[in-house]
Amino acid sequence: MKALSFMLIAGEASGDTLAAELVSALRTRVLQVESQPTTDVQPLRTELAPRFFGAGGTRMAAAGVELAFDLTQHSVIGVSDVLKNYFTFRRLFNQLFKLAIERQPDVIIGVDYGGFNLRFAHAIKHYVRRHRSEFIPWNPKIVQYVSPQVWASRPGRAYQMAEDHDLLLSIFPFEKDWYAKRAPKLRVEFVGHPMVGRFSSEGRVPRDPSTDELGTRGVRRSDILLLPGSRRTELKRHLPLMLDALKLVQAKVQNVKAKLVLPNESLTQQARSIGVPPGAEIQTGNLTQALAQADLAVASTGTVTMECAFFGVPTVTLYKTSWSTYQIAKRIVTVKWLTMANILAGEEVFPEFVQDAATPENIANATLELLRNEARRNAVKTKMAEVVASLGGPGANGRAAEAIVNLLQ
């Protein structure tokens, strides 16, 4: 009897991290189940280590996933960027589709990266429905880990997900009820947000400002993080705005130190080519350490804003995309904010500036307001603590692994 086989697909840095953590949890859970005595005539497996393959990044590879290629190197966002890279994505999609058919995994898991993974799930289910027979019994379980934001735009995709997916693993508490009302056939499990366990296990906590060193003339230094995003196009559009805003802030506030944190060396090199002023430090990786030491952040409206929320770092958020992508998005997006922390809070706790509103002046003014107003900063921290408390306790990946193994049984 062959070992269980899992195919995972993650196309972004955050998904690569999440998939790697899930692989570790799955490996542990599968071996636990296999080691338990059973009276079944045909037990699930006979103590064989599960196998993992697919596409992702360096963290998945380090976790023991056999990668067909590094999909995180092709991360893009928006219609215009997708169209520019259409033939590349079609080639990668077809390569993974062929790999799935050849290796016939027991489970296919899409980790975030909804635009790609939903299409892949549909293609696999379509193939299985056309070819399955007693001679070709392959019928993999299809799992999506992290819901695509169908509740923010194009809600009709939920119905197709119900047809194509066996399980959706949700990391936000409101999503299970949302799907239950619109696509009750879809099995949805809220497992909690992985960052809660990730950071708790590392012992990460925000710094105590009373221990900060004093700058010139006895003025405490303020540390601002610049977090422009994990995609090359985001960095290109966001970093110049952030640096211009930083100049305006530094002209009005003493002892402001900025640190630009990027997830990999490739983006770091791109940032250097754009031009970072001498007063701004560049750091590759180890974002959690930087957040634990930060007073404030200026960030793109992505996954990183939830990490800012966890550490209680007041944050100014922004997003700027191509004209064509924005024109399409503003017609289909139904939520009031793009920043997930604001969506969960039900109000604009983190000041948010999108497209034309994302100007250096607006960003600088919001940053100055947070720097100068201690009561406002404390109110933001209190609200973010409430948001984080709603995300469940540590162990999201363990609960996700449990749900997947139960699906197989």
Side-chain angles (χ1 to χ4, degrees):
M1 186 175 289
K2 71 182 184 71
L4 275 172
S5 177
F6 297 86
M7 182 178 190
L8 297 98
I9 301 174
E12 296 169 323
S14 58
D16 179 44
T17 298
L18 183 54
E21 293 171 341
L22 178 62
V23 164
S24 297
L26 273 171
R27 185 179 287 115
T28 298
R29 184 58 188 147
V30 168
L31 291 176
Q32 285 175 345
V33 170
E34 291 174 352
S35 64
Q36 294 172 0
T38 177
T39 57
D40 293 346
V41 176
Q42 291 183 321
L44 179 64
R45 287 295 185 276
T46 54
E47 295 200 40
L48 295 173
R51 298 173 183 172
F52 303 93
F53 69 95
T58 55
R59 292 183 181 274
M60 286 174 64
V65 181
E66 179 188 342
L67 296 184
F69 48 80
D70 187 340
L71 187 55
T72 64
Q73 294 298 314
H74 303 278
S75 179
V76 298
I77 192 167
V79 175
S80 60
D81 290 339
V82 171
L83 291 176
K84 289 175 186 176
N85 295 275
Y86 172 76
F87 292 104
T88 296
F89 280 110
R90 187 174 71 172
R91 173 177 56 81
L92 298 175
F93 186 99
N94 290 339
Q95 185 177 342
L96 286 176
F97 184 73
K98 181 180 178 182
L99 182 64
I101 293 172
E102 287 176 351
R103 299 189 59 168
Q104 297 191 356
D106 298 286
V107 186
I108 297 175
I109 306 171
V111 183
D112 210 347
Y113 209 49
F116 189 99
N117 281 326
L118 295 195
R119 289 180 176 84
F120 192 80
H122 182 66
I124 291 293
K125 279 297 187 181
H126 181 69
Y127 175 88
V128 167
R129 288 166 185 144
R130 289 183 59 191
H131 294 88
R132 194 177 184 216
S133 68
E134 61 179 306
F135 302 106
I136 309 176
W138 181 53
N139 186 21
K141 299 295 185 182
I142 306 294
V143 179
Q144 176 66 25
Y145 191 12
V146 181
S147 168
Q149 294 182 352
V150 293
W151 36 262
S153 65
R154 292 175 286 177
R157 289 184 297 171
Y159 307 116
Q160 188 61 57
M161 289 179 65
E163 296 297 323
D164 297 333
H165 289 77
D166 298 285
L167 176 64
L168 170 63
L169 299 169
S170 160
I171 65 172
F172 294 117
F174 68 89
E175 291 174 327
K176 185 169 183 175
D177 287 343
W178 188 92
Y179 280 101
K181 293 175 182 176
R182 293 162 180 82
K185 287 175 55 180
L186 179 61
R187 179 175 174 179
V188 181
E189 295 291 341
F190 170 60
V191 297
H193 203 295
M195 75 171 185
V196 176
R198 185 184 305 155
F199 298 150
S200 298
S201 65
E202 294 176 1
R204 300 293 190 184
V205 294
R207 74 171 179 198
D208 179 359
S210 66
T211 65
D212 289 346
E213 62 184 85
L214 294 180
T216 58
R217 290 181 288 182
V219 179
R220 189 179 69 81
R221 192 186 74 200
S222 296
D223 291 329
I224 298 179
L225 292 188
L226 305 181
L227 308 171
S230 60
R231 302 179 180 94
R232 298 184 69 84
T233 51
E234 289 177 327
L235 186 64
K236 181 179 178 181
R237 292 188 177 108
H238 295 162
L239 184 56
L241 286 171
M242 291 180 174
L243 294 177
D244 288 344
L246 176 64
K247 292 177 184 176
L248 296 175
V249 171
Q250 289 177 325
K252 296 186 177 183
V253 178
Q254 297 180 51
N255 295 324
V256 170
K257 182 180 178 182
K259 179 180 288 186
L260 171 63
V261 184
L262 296 165
N264 55 58
E265 186 60 35
S266 175
L267 289 176
T268 298
Q269 292 300 325
Q270 183 187 351
R272 289 198 174 100
S273 69
I274 291 173
V276 177
E281 177 186 349
I282 302 180
Q283 176 178 307
T284 304
N286 208 0
L287 172 61
T288 57
Q289 182 184 48
L291 283 167
Q293 297 298 315
D295 292 292
L296 197 77
V298 180
S300 65
T301 58
T303 304
V304 73
T305 63
M306 290 305 301
E307 298 177 76
C308 294
F310 180 88
F311 283 92
V313 178
T315 303
V316 178
T317 69
L318 67 130
Y319 204 85
K320 200 171 182 72
T321 188
S322 67
W323 181 87
S324 58
T325 296
Y326 179 69
Q327 293 304 312
I328 294 172
K330 73 178 185 178
R331 289 166 172 78
I332 62 175
V333 172
T334 57
V335 291
K336 291 183 179 180
W337 308 282
L338 298 184
T339 306
M340 180 54 72
N342 289 341
I343 293 172
L344 292 172
E347 60 181 289
E348 190 175 301
V349 182
F350 286 172
E352 179 179 303
F353 302 100
V354 177
Q355 205 64 5
D356 293 341
T359 65
E361 293 76 17
N362 285 344
I363 297 164
N365 288 337
T367 301
L368 288 167
E369 164 65 15
L370 286 170
L371 280 175
R372 291 168 169 168
N373 191 334
E374 184 178 1
R376 173 76 187 281
R377 291 198 306 274
N378 289 337
V380 170
K381 292 177 182 181
T382 298
K383 195 66 180 181
M384 287 302 102
E386 294 173 4
V387 167
V388 171
S390 73
L391 299 178
N397 285 300
R399 292 187 288 271
E402 178 83 14
I404 293 170
V405 171
N406 288 343
L407 186 68
L408 288 168
Q409 293 179 297

